[in-house]
Amino acid sequence: MKDVVVIGGGPSGLAAASSIAEKGYKVVILERDDELGGLLQQCIHDGFGTILFDESLSGPEFADRFIEKVMRSDVPIELETYVKSVDKKDDHFELLTVTPEGVHKIKSRSIVYAIGCREKNRFEIKIGGTRPAGVYTAGTVQRLVNLYGVLPGKNPVIVGGGDVGLIVARHLYLEGVDSLFMVYPEDFFSGLPRNAQQCILDFDIPYRNRTTVKRILGDKKVEGVELVEVDEEWEMIPGTEEIYECDSLILSVGLIPYSEKIEDLGAEIDEETKGPVVNEYYGTTVDGVFSVGNLVQIFDYVDDAVKTAYIVAEGVDKFLKGIDVKRKKPIKLVPGDKIDTVTPQRIFYEEGEEVTVFFRPGVEKENAVVCLVNLGNVIKTYRKRYLRPSTLEEIKVPKDLFNGKKEVTIRVR
Amino acid sequence: MRIPQKVKKITDESKYNISFVVEEDIVFLKGKVETYEDWVDIGLKIGGIKGVNGVVNDIVWDERKDKASEDRKKRSKRSKKENLGEYDIVIIGGGIIGCSIARELSKYELDVALAEKEPDVSLGQTRANNGMVHPGIAPSKDTLKRRLNVRGNAMYGELSQELDVPFKRVGSLILITPRTMEKYRKYLPGPLYRFFLKHVLPWFVKRRGEMNGLEGIEILKGEEVFQEESGIVDDVISAVKIPSTGIVDPYEWTIAMYENAKKNDVDFYLNTEVLAFDKERGLIKRVFTDRGVLKCGHVINAAGLYSDVIAEMAGTKEFTIHPRKGVELLFNKRLEDRVHHCLAELKIPSHPTSKGGGINPTVHGNIIWGPTAEEVESKSETSVDKEEIHEIMQKYSTILPQFPESEFIRYFAGVRAASFTEDFIIRPAKKVKNLLHVAAIQSPGLASAPAIAEYSVELLKDMGVDLRRDESFDGERKSMDRVSEMSEDELKRRIEEDPSWGNIVCTCEMVSEAEIVEAIERDAESFDAIKRRTRAGMGECQESYCLLRIAEVISRELDMPLNQVKKEWKESQFFDGIVRGEEP
Amino acid sequence: MSDRKEVLCIRCPKGCRLKLKIGDKVVVEGQECKLGEEYGRKEASSPQRVVPSTVKIIGARYPRLPVRSEKGVPMNKVEEVIDELKGVEVIAPMKKGAVIVENVADTSVDIIAERGMEVQE
Ligand SMILES: Cc1cc2nc3c(=O)[nH]c(=O)nc-3n(C[C@H](O)[C@H](O)[C@H](O)COP(=O)(O)OP(=O)(O)OC[C@H]3O[C@@H](n4cnc5c(N)ncnc54)[C@H](O)[C@@H]3O)c2cc1C
Ligand SMILES: Cc1cc2nc3c(=O)[nH]c(=O)nc-3n(C[C@H](O)[C@H](O)[C@H](O)COP(=O)(O)OP(=O)(O)OC[C@H]3O[C@@H](n4cnc5c(N)ncnc54)[C@H](O)[C@@H]3O)c2cc1C
Ligand code: SF4
């Protein structure tokens, strides 16, 4: 019997596994790919680790810090491992895994899910037109170019101006496409200014804001796209359609947590984050099942994703020790006015100093005041220099603030 | 009135100047109209005349040249001279119809060839079908559709055993709700309307089914409906349950037919387009294709949407296909428990050209909503727009109001090969005595397919084909093994033999590397062909995880560089060259 | 004579659009705070970029090895650096941090391997 099974060998799974192992528990990591590191192995640009290490590392370099740590510990690592099923028994879980070595049963007292996210595809954003070869998600292209050295096309169009799209644009430009065009529905790139500058503006790559792809053209292979202008609500403006010739379309239109598996176990899912509802130690609503990293919500910085892994170690420790100082009814933390998402969504334990709360603003606002509100009363405020929906924010909330409350709302004044 | 008078009445009433000729109950139309809708409309009116056996609609609706036929003429020059062989029968078209006939014919001592222009079987209308094996209640009494649908449906059970393809008789519910006869409500005041919908209409529906030869039809009222299907809209009044309705995966079925026919020595020529015929004394002697020449005794026209083109090519124009697009929405498997039967809301009067579609489960546990029915000018018009998605969401959410209709994972469209008479056209060609049309097979073509194959063989016999049973015929086919369906012990054993059974490359559908390799061994050469055989890439992430992983296996197995891996056709190579123009 | 240039400030999520006038002295406009001014000056005098790319690797799990410039190179040299990587080939195994190209494009910066790669069939 294991104490903890960590599913997913990306940065947050690795960090979770080593911090839990440091506390003396028996841990195993299961990873479906044939190497550790998760998405970072394909993110070969620098910019990772600025928060945690005060260094600008590339994805593989950042991943390696965690891989090395796990390798040095005695945590077993099972690669190419597919988790076929997870059964909840009275006091443990039974996992059935499939690997090239065989079919195995693993028993464990708890599980940490760190399976990350997947990219939204063309169907989820209802792009019309045909279904030819040449439509890819940005992550696939990143993998294609950086791991296989193959280009997706000669003149791609990228839709989406977030970080992933920006980074991919630079790779394609430098690695030799003939031409490149980026469109996005926002007023300005939603990615970090750093990426907008260094990936698009540095090279004068053409782009158009308030524009999206309405239809894909071409029967067998992409021959072009129909672009359309959009208004502030991202509604298409009729009459502004325009055909743009290209041989591939790259979608960078958002990431969503891989929450199916955990939902099947009975965990409650947050409609806004699309990830599981978690408490301050990243426990889900199913006892003994935890969730960290991009599965909880999409973090802009991997550094923040990893923070959740350090916190979960405390939660797993409490669970395994049977420390039950849970509040009878957890306090709910909910997004209010001008806030899109909040994690954690529940405060469970009474003891502890403070809680790190992440929230995604619903507005762009300068010198914003973020308020914690209970029953209509503001109980604490925070100042933020500048809020943007595309930047996840963090605040530290003293634990005693929650005492005696049922629900606390976060809003922007 | 005789046919010419009836046709005249319609052309006279039209605002256009339309001329016509009637020959052997086939109506040939000429003239000019302004819009495509008018073109379809006149054709349908004339096709609806009792006794008309075909409508050749040569009315022009647009000054533009017909690009497709131009292209074809150009291509016909590309036919190759090489001799591919001599056959008793050449089948044109590798859809469910062509493949079912091929397998049926492989039971006899005949040399059979099948030519299909696409790189795989089932790429025509068969591919975009919603997999319903209709019971046969909808077609009117004296149509071919009715007879072959009822018979075809009955044949599915046994065939699915032989071919080792899942088929489920889930049954269908025809739902009667307050919206069913909205148009006639004014004639049925107050409680009369409800009474009629609860006690009279279901009985009519049942009666119709019985007249068509169906058995076991039940009428459900109020609560009984919810016991069968709990998510149905609260205000449902009654329902008619037809137990024989089934579901099947249309391409899996077609591929199974193909594999079994091939095993019984039918020669399949894929990537082979029929471009012209060589006739002597009114009989086709040779079939010209872009790959070579097939000498033939008899020819079967099972070319679906292009069956009118084949007829014309053979010099026996007898019908025109008017393409009718259908869009479908496919939902996440996770919603499997929400739908157990094929569901449709009865609407009277019904849409004149389609049964209106509905909500179906699929054999793999997905749910499918659709199809729509839209007349389109082009036979290859399978694009789907946002408006069409919303149309489906709106139309069917009245049946299942709680269903999370935004959780679809994919949408697609197919084009039906409809004729103006709206019935199947299965008969020897009028002017070419060794050509059998099995044409204009629109819905319920899948449901009828086994019976169509059987009937086609009867007709061939009448046409003089000598049918002697081939004693060596082996009708058994084994489906691919699937990790997702294996027991734990079975999987263990497999992995011991070959570790690639334990390497899961598509995590949504749980498909192993070994399955990808087996699909390649079973003739799949492209990503989509593998997808149809293994379901890899069909899950919720829609290829975003497995595309590259599978492309890597294809590249290794077929020994081609990664950037040459194809989605489907040779023109649909996925990727481009190597970075910075480097050598691979 | 003065040069004009627009850059985004990357010091906070606001991303002010800075207008730089580069002459005898640098004038920064459009910043909302002091950090922006500081950043603008640096961008004006010596903008530097870390260059990420890949080179061909033989005998490893993947056909490409991710590499980057060890530190920033002058911005106007980025494309030259990439050109110099064209055709570079290495053989597995490779160690993380190994120097792949020395003094790339005369920038006195080395190109290094971002990760290790083992030999694999
Ligand atoms: C294209 C792209 C570009 C990015 N660019 C940046 C950037 O410039 N800067 C930055 O700071 N952040 C960036 N990020 C975000 C950063 O990479 C993520 O925050 C980080 O990868 C999240 O780590 P994770 O461990 O939660 O998830 P992942 O890295 O996704 O790891 C999840 C792991 O779980 C495995 N797994 C999934 N399902 C299963 C299963 N069922 N069984 C077993 N294993 C499973 C996966 O194979 C994977 O290894 C980027 C992300 C993407 C997608
Ligand atoms: C949206 C939609 C939903 C449907 N749903 C159902 C349903 O639920 N139940 C049901 O029973 N039916 C359904 N149908 C109808 C059913 O799909 C068809 O009746 C059936 O697939 C007809 O098969 P076929 O073999 O005649 O045609 P096709 O599948 O079109 O096959 C014809 C083949 O001929 C080939 N061909 C054409 N010209 C040439 C040439 N010159 N040389 C070589 N090859 C050629 C084509 O490439 C094609 O592969 C549906 C149809 C659509 C479009
Ligand atoms: S100038 Fe100041 S406010 Fe503007 S982006 Fe830079 S740091 Fe932020």
Side-chain angles (χ1 to χ4, degrees):
Chain A
M1 173 91 70
K2 295 280 176 194
D3 295 320
V4 190
V5 170
V6 175
I7 307 180
S12 50
L14 294 169
S18 34
S19 352
I20 295 168
E22 274 167 17
K23 294 188 187 293
Y25 292 110
K26 272 205 313 207
V27 188
V28 59
I29 301 179
L30 312 181
E31 164 59 48
R32 68 176 174 184
D33 248 324
D34 56 8
E35 63 178 358
L36 295 173
L39 284 174
L40 290 175
Q41 296 292 13
Q42 66 190 58
C43 300
I44 65 166
H45 57 285
D46 74 311
F48 299 85
T50 48
I51 304 173
L52 275 183
F53 304 120
D54 200 18
E55 265 185 85
S56 183
L57 304 169
S58 74
E61 288 165 345
F62 183 92
D64 196 51
R65 304 240 165 150
F66 296 89
I67 296 173
E68 264 188 9
K69 190 150 184 215
V70 171
M71 293 296 208
R72 269 187 270 116
S73 74
D74 54 5
V75 174
I77 297 159
E78 305 288 346
L79 296 176
E80 294 184 276
T81 298
Y82 175 84
V83 179
K84 187 174 181 204
S85 62
V86 179
D87 280 328
K88 190 166 170 30
K89 305 281 176 193
D90 274 350
D91 61 344
H92 70 279
F93 297 88
E94 226 171 76
L95 290 83
L96 192 69
T97 65
V98 177
T99 80
E101 268 89 59
V103 182
H104 307 282
K105 261 205 187 88
I106 302 176
K107 287 184 183 175
S108 177
R109 293 167 64 200
S110 65
I111 306 180
V112 175
Y113 277 89
I115 59 180
C117 57
R118 65 174 179 82
E119 299 178 271
K120 278 198 193 165
N121 60 54
R122 62 163 292 188
F123 298 104
E124 289 169 291
I125 59 162
K126 298 186 206 158
I127 297 187
T130 52
R131 294 164 299 286
V135 182
Y136 313 105
T137 56
T140 298
V141 171
Q142 201 179 39
R143 209 177 153 80
L144 180 74
V145 176
N146 294 345
L147 265 43
Y148 296 93
V150 171
L151 292 170
K154 287 187 177 30
N155 47 352
V157 164
I158 300 181
V159 54
D163 289 313
V164 183
L166 294 168
I167 298 281
V168 165
R170 174 172 57 186
H171 284 307
L172 292 174
Y173 174 83
L174 290 176
E175 303 299 346
V177 294
D178 294 348
S179 69
L180 185 62
F181 189 48
M182 173 179 275
V183 299
Y184 54 86
E186 292 90 353
D187 190 42
F188 197 64
F189 300 99
S190 57
L192 300 171
R194 175 193 151 96
N195 287 335
Q197 178 64 46
Q198 302 192 353
C199 298
I200 295 283
L201 304 176
D202 268 5
F203 305 109
D204 286 326
I205 295 172
Y207 63 90
R208 216 163 88 184
N209 66 345
R210 290 272 183 246
T211 303
T212 190
V213 172
K214 182 175 177 185
R215 315 178 75 231
I216 296 167
L217 311 172
D219 283 336
K220 299 184 173 175
K221 176 92 197 182
V222 173
E223 287 166 16
V225 288
E226 194 176 308
L227 300 176
V228 65
E229 287 173 25
V230 297
D231 62 19
E232 279 165 30
E233 310 291 306
W234 297 17
E235 290 296 329
M236 298 182 189
I237 304 173
T240 61
E241 291 85 357
E242 182 188 324
I243 295 196
Y244 185 89
E245 278 180 31
C246 59
D247 66 355
S248 42
L249 175 66
I250 299 167
L251 303 172
S252 168
V253 292
L255 305 168
I256 12 178
Y258 249 129
S259 43
E260 271 72 44
K261 310 262 176 207
I262 205 161
E263 191 178 358
D264 289 345
L265 267 176
E268 187 183 337
I269 302 297
D270 182 333
E271 284 295 314
E272 302 303 325
T273 58
K274 310 276 186 226
V277 168
V278 292
N279 63 35
E280 72 270 42
Y281 290 110
Y282 291 89
T284 69
T285 54
V286 178
D287 271 354
V289 176
F290 296 80
S291 155
V292 291
N294 272 358
L295 172 62
V296 176
Q297 66 161 354
I298 305 306
F299 288 94
D300 305 331
Y301 290 97
V302 62
D303 306 60
D304 287 336
V306 167
K307 276 186 204 161
T308 66
Y310 294 142
I311 301 172
V312 87
E314 304 297 321
V316 171
D317 185 39
K318 285 188 168 36
F319 173 79
L320 292 176
K321 285 202 180 114
I323 298 177
D324 201 5
V325 287
K326 288 173 194 167
R327 297 172 200 265
K328 282 194 195 74
K329 267 213 145 155
I331 294 151
K332 284 188 178 169
L333 213 52
V334 292
D337 201 21
K338 301 193 183 77
I339 300 277
D340 282 348
T341 67
V342 177
T343 54
Q345 297 90 337
R346 302 279 187 274
I347 306 298
F348 227 57
Y349 292 89
E350 268 167 18
E351 38 78 80
E353 300 271 286
E354 56 178 20
V355 182
T356 304
V357 172
F358 294 98
F359 68 91
R360 193 170 289 282
V363 287
E364 190 153 343
K365 199 163 171 19
E366 189 144 11
N367 293 323
V369 181
V370 179
C371 313
L372 298 187
V373 182
N374 173 249
L375 298 172
N377 304 318
V378 174
I379 52 175
K380 192 165 171 58
T381 58
Y382 297 83
R383 291 206 164 270
K384 287 281 171 186
R385 170 81 193 81
Y386 200 86
L387 296 180
R388 289 174 86 197
S390 53
T391 307
L392 190 72
E393 294 285 345
E394 178 186 326
I395 50 176
K396 303 255 189 236
V397 183
K399 207 107 194 223
D400 51 20
L401 211 65
F402 294 108
N403 285 341
K405 316 227 163 34
K406 277 191 180 145
E407 187 172 300
V408 173
T409 305
I410 304 188
R411 61 178 166 88
V412 176
R413 189 162 68 204
Chain B
M1 263 197 293
R2 288 180 26 244
I3 292 174
Q5 276 116 339
K6 288 184 183 163
V7 176
K8 185 156 187 312
K9 191 158 172 268
I10 291 169
T11 54
D12 284 352
E13 276 166 10
S14 134
K15 62 175 178 174
Y16 301 107
N17 198 358
I18 307 288
S19 65
F20 69 90
V21 176
V22 182
E23 229 176 77
E24 291 188 67
D25 297 340
I26 291 170
V27 184
F28 296 81
L29 298 171
K30 277 215 161 66
K32 200 171 149 187
V33 294
E34 274 156 18
T35 65
Y36 184 71
E37 288 73 43
D38 290 342
W39 181 84
V40 175
D41 192 50
I42 290 182
L44 282 175
K45 278 192 182 131
I46 289 170
I49 297 172
K50 214 173 167 168
V52 167
N53 244 332
V55 177
V56 176
N57 189 346
D58 281 337
I59 297 172
V60 182
W61 80 87
D62 189 346
E63 291 302 323
R64 279 175 301 169
K65 285 255 168 61
D66 178 1
K67 196 174 163 293
S69 81
E70 285 267 290
D71 285 356
R72 212 171 298 116
K73 270 184 203 132
K74 255 187 241 155
R75 282 207 303 278
S76 75
K77 299 204 177 89
R78 273 195 270 136
S79 68
K80 294 244 166 65
K81 296 273 172 320
E82 282 123 81
N83 183 10
L84 295 176
E86 200 172 327
Y87 294 94
D88 298 313
I89 309 225
V90 172
I91 303 168
I92 305 170
I96 187 158
I97 300 302
C99 292
S100 302
I101 296 175
R103 178 180 184 266
E104 193 60 30
L105 284 173
S106 71
K107 294 177 180 168
Y108 302 93
E109 294 213 349
L110 294 169
D111 290 329
V112 181
L114 184 148
E116 167 57 57
K117 66 182 165 73
E118 305 293 351
D120 193 5
V121 295
S122 85
L123 292 191
Q125 35 171 353
T126 300
R127 162 171 58 170
N129 172 306
N130 55 337
M132 178 171 172
V133 178
H134 298 88
I137 193 169
S140 352
K141 201 161 175 306
D142 25 62
T143 55
L144 260 180
K145 268 188 181 175
R146 186 210 55 86
R147 181 161 67 85
L148 296 171
N149 185 170
V150 175
R151 166 90 185 129
N153 175 299
M155 293 168 76
Y156 260 90
E158 202 182 311
L159 266 175
S160 82
Q161 302 280 316
E162 280 174 38
L163 297 171
D164 197 13
V165 180
F167 163 73
K168 292 186 190 153
R169 256 186 224 292
V170 291
S172 53
L173 299 180
I174 300 176
L175 304 168
I176 297 173
T177 69
R179 291 164 294 285
T180 292
M181 293 181 64
E182 211 129 51
K183 267 204 157 163
Y184 297 114
R185 198 169 195 152
K186 51 180 183 277
Y187 305 116
L188 293 163
L192 219 55
Y193 184 65
R194 261 194 92 80
F195 180 85
F196 185 82
L197 295 185
K198 189 159 185 180
H199 300 289
V200 184
L201 188 59
W203 185 84
F204 269 118
V205 176
K206 179 171 186 229
R207 190 74 201 109
R208 181 189 173 115
E210 284 165 355
M211 305 248 292
N212 273 4
L214 308 192
E215 288 165 14
I217 302 179
E218 278 174 68
I219 293 175
L220 310 174
K221 290 179 188 150
E223 256 322 292
E224 293 166 350
V225 183
F226 302 116
Q227 274 164 22
E228 291 282 335
E229 198 77 77
S230 57
I232 296 225
V233 61
D234 288 345
D235 66 1
V236 65
I237 295 171
S238 56
V240 178
K241 183 181 170 192
I242 307 175
S244 58
T245 307
I247 51 173
V248 72
D249 176 336
Y251 34 83
E252 197 177 342
W253 187 267
T254 307
I255 289 166
M257 288 282 178
Y258 156 78
E259 287 181 356
N260 192 237
K262 199 172 155 184
K263 177 171 163 191
N264 289 295
D265 298 327
V266 172
D267 287 344
F268 282 81
Y269 293 91
L270 300 178
N271 278 313
T272 306
E273 182 177 1
V274 171
L275 297 168
F277 297 111
D278 182 23
K279 289 199 301 187
E280 278 171 30
R281 278 171 278 125
L283 295 179
I284 299 174
K285 290 288 170 196
R286 292 186 301 167
V287 178
F288 292 113
T289 76
D290 52 0
R291 298 268 301 277
V293 182
L294 297 155
K295 288 195 188 138
C296 60
H298 284 76
V299 178
I300 297 175
N301 173 10
L305 278 161
Y306 299 89
S307 50
D308 56 346
V309 175
I310 295 292
E312 182 173 359
M313 213 182 263
T316 181
K317 244 176 155 179
E318 315 171 15
F319 52 90
T320 301
I321 299 288
H322 58 107
R324 191 187 292 136
K325 181 167 97 171
V327 178
E328 326 241 16
L329 278 188
L330 188 79
F331 289 86
N332 205 318
K333 273 186 169 176
R334 298 163 49 77
L335 301 168
E336 180 170 11
D337 286 342
R338 306 259 187 146
V339 179
H340 302 95
H341 305 81
C342 300
L343 303 173
E345 191 175 9
L346 184 63
K347 289 276 174 71
I348 299 175
S350 71
H351 191 284
T353 49
S354 119
K355 287 181 299 303
I359 294 179
N360 287 350
T362 74
V363 280
H364 306 292
N366 301 88
I367 311 279
I368 209 166
W369 286 25
T372 57
E374 186 201 348
E375 298 292 337
V376 289
E377 295 175 27
S378 158
K379 291 175 174 174
S380 58
E381 211 310 81
T382 55
S383 69
V384 176
D385 284 342
K386 213 172 175 173
E387 294 72 30
E388 294 171 305
I389 300 165
H390 290 156
E391 181 192 327
I392 297 181
M393 282 166 49
Q394 244 168 17
K395 183 167 175 192
Y396 300 116
S397 52
T398 62
I399 305 182
L400 293 177
Q402 308 297 328
F403 194 91
E405 77 246 17
S406 57
E407 283 187 33
F408 58 86
I409 57 171
R410 191 182 177 90
Y411 37 85
F412 58 90
V415 185
R416 305 171 182 87
S419 68
F420 288 109
T421 45
E422 298 288 347
D423 197 1
F424 302 153
I425 295 179
I426 309 178
R427 62 175 182 232
K430 300 275 175 191
K431 293 187 184 140
V432 182
K433 297 299 169 209
N434 66 341
L435 173 65
L436 177 66
H437 292 309
V438 189
I441 311 294
Q442 56 163 311
S443 188
L446 169 72
S448 314
I452 292 176
E454 190 184 63
Y455 179 52
S456 303
V457 173
E458 277 169 36
L459 290 176
L460 282 174
K461 192 174 168 200
D462 296 342
M463 289 163 76
V465 175
D466 184 14
L467 295 178
R468 260 171 302 149
R469 285 267 166 194
D470 180 349
E471 295 310 324
S472 67
F473 173 76
D474 175 5
E476 300 280 316
R477 174 245 176 206
K478 275 283 297 140
S479 86
M480 294 205 17
D481 294 321
R482 294 172 201 281
V483 168
S484 62
E485 289 165 6
M486 272 178 206
S487 71
E488 209 182 305
D489 291 335
E490 171 70 5
L491 183 54
K492 267 187 193 153
R493 200 176 56 70
R494 286 307 179 92
I495 295 174
E496 254 166 51
E497 284 167 15
D498 176 359
S500 69
W501 283 101
N503 180 20
I504 307 300
V505 288
C506 165
T507 51
C508 296
E509 294 285 329
M510 198 187 177
V511 182
S512 67
E513 182 186 339
E515 287 158 77
I516 307 294
V517 173
E518 186 178 342
I520 294 172
E521 280 162 7
R522 291 186 182 221
D523 304 337
E525 292 187 349
S526 65
F527 184 85
D528 281 3
I530 288 174
K531 184 167 160 178
R532 282 188 292 275
R533 284 159 178 82
T534 62
R535 293 189 57 73
M538 293 213 179
E540 107 161 286
C541 89
Q542 289 289 309
E543 305 170 5
S544 58
Y545 177 75
C546 63
L547 173 64
L548 279 177
R549 284 156 181 94
I550 292 171
E552 216 184 356
V553 179
I554 299 177
S555 147
R556 183 191 70 209
E557 292 295 311
L558 295 178
D559 197 19
M560 56 164 76
L562 187 71
N563 57 325
Q564 279 170 24
V565 172
K566 297 179 293 286
K567 178 174 162 66
E568 184 97 75
W569 301 274
K570 62 178 184 305
E571 301 87 349
S572 62
Q573 187 176 312
F574 273 120
F575 313 124
D576 203 65
I578 307 295
V579 289
R580 305 194 284 262
E582 289 182 20
E583 296 290 308
Chain C
M1 224 193 65
S2 75
D3 224 4
R4 279 164 192 281
K5 201 167 143 189
E6 262 196 50
V7 296
L8 287 181
C9 175
I10 67 170
R11 287 292 174 83
C12 92
K14 174 153 199 213
C16 287
R17 289 175 218 196
L18 309 179
K19 290 193 174 55
L20 312 180
K21 269 191 234 155
I22 309 163
D24 297 337
K25 66 181 188 6
V26 175
V27 183
V28 184
E29 280 169 16
Q31 74 277 27
E32 302 265 327
C33 77
K34 269 215 312 261
L35 289 173
E37 164 131 22
E38 194 185 291
Y39 178 75
R41 284 185 190 289
K42 199 164 153 255
E43 266 304 279
S45 55
S46 56
Q48 303 234 317
R49 300 288 184 263
V50 171
V51 187
S53 187
T54 64
V55 297
K56 188 168 176 179
I57 181 163
I58 294 167
R61 162 72 178 91
Y62 293 104
R64 305 296 293 192
L65 174 74
V67 299
R68 67 172 173 96
S69 59
E70 198 195 343
K71 41 188 207 267
V73 302
M75 203 184 100
N76 56 13
K77 287 267 194 177
V78 169
E79 289 176 52
E80 240 177 275
V81 169
I82 292 281
D83 277 345
E84 208 162 297
L85 292 179
K86 184 170 170 170
V88 172
E89 246 179 58
V90 298
I91 295 171
M94 221 42 221
K95 273 217 167 67
K96 180 183 163 196
V99 175
I100 307 294
V101 179
E102 269 178 47
N103 182 20
V104 69
D106 268 337
T107 55
S108 62
V109 175
D110 296 341
I111 293 289
I112 56 166
E114 289 187 5
R115 57 173 287 187
M117 275 200 186
E118 304 287 317
V119 180
Q120 201 182 327
E121 285 315 297

